[in-house]
Amino acid sequence: MMHPGTEARLAASLVAGRRLGARRKRTWTRAVFTNLQRKGLEKRFTMQRYITKPERRKLAETLGLTDSQVKVWFQNRRMKWRNARRPADTQEEPPVADSTQQSADDEAAQPINVED
């Protein structure tokens, strides 16, 4: 036997397309920063790449952002910084050598005996 009102709530939740008590899926929107916010974040990043939680909260409050937005911005900016520092030739995976091809150097190479 159901409690009074449970049947109506169950019916309403089924009409809404979700189970009773189930959490709604969060939808994320991409944060668009103003030029002032971006400049403030970049300026702070040039001073320090890692920011402590109290500093992050203060910066977020100053720029009118959430703590999470500042945290994620710094994570993304550090990845951009690391990738920019990496030389261009190491950004791509090196091609896998085809074992059926031999160069002139390979033919002249002598095997090395290793004793155990």
Side-chain angles (χ1 to χ4, degrees):
M1 178 168 208
M2 288 189 202
H3 294 286
T6 304
E7 192 172 319
R9 283 189 294 135
L10 180 60
S13 69
L14 291 174
V15 169
R18 57 189 182 112
R19 295 178 317 219
L20 187 62
R23 292 189 174 175
R24 282 183 31 202
K25 186 177 177 182
R26 281 191 178 180
T27 57
W28 297 101
T29 56
R30 185 176 183 272
V32 179
F33 300 109
T34 66
N35 286 335
L36 183 65
Q37 290 169 333
R38 198 171 312 122
K39 284 179 184 177
L41 290 164
E42 286 288 350
K43 183 178 180 182
R44 188 56 177 262
F45 184 80
T46 58
M47 292 188 291
Q48 62 185 117
R49 287 187 293 276
Y50 289 88
I51 189 167
T52 63
K53 190 178 278 191
E55 292 170 332
R56 187 175 70 218
R57 286 183 178 151
K58 186 172 168 61
L59 181 61
E61 185 180 328
T62 303
L63 296 175
L65 298 169
T66 66
D67 182 59
S68 297
Q69 286 175 313
V70 174
K71 177 184 168 189
V72 171
W73 187 92
F74 266 81
Q75 289 172 339
N76 291 340
R77 187 62 181 83
R78 282 192 299 269
M79 287 306 299
K80 182 179 177 181
W81 177 77
R82 281 188 200 117
N83 289 335
R85 286 185 56 204
R86 203 182 291 171
D89 60 330
T90 61
Q91 287 184 356
E92 293 183 21
E93 290 292 319
V96 178
D98 187 358
S99 61
T100 60
Q101 294 179 344
Q102 285 188 336
S103 68
D105 293 336
D106 290 340
E107 291 174 6
Q110 298 294 321
I112 299 172
N113 293 329
V114 179
E115 296 179 3
D116 292 332

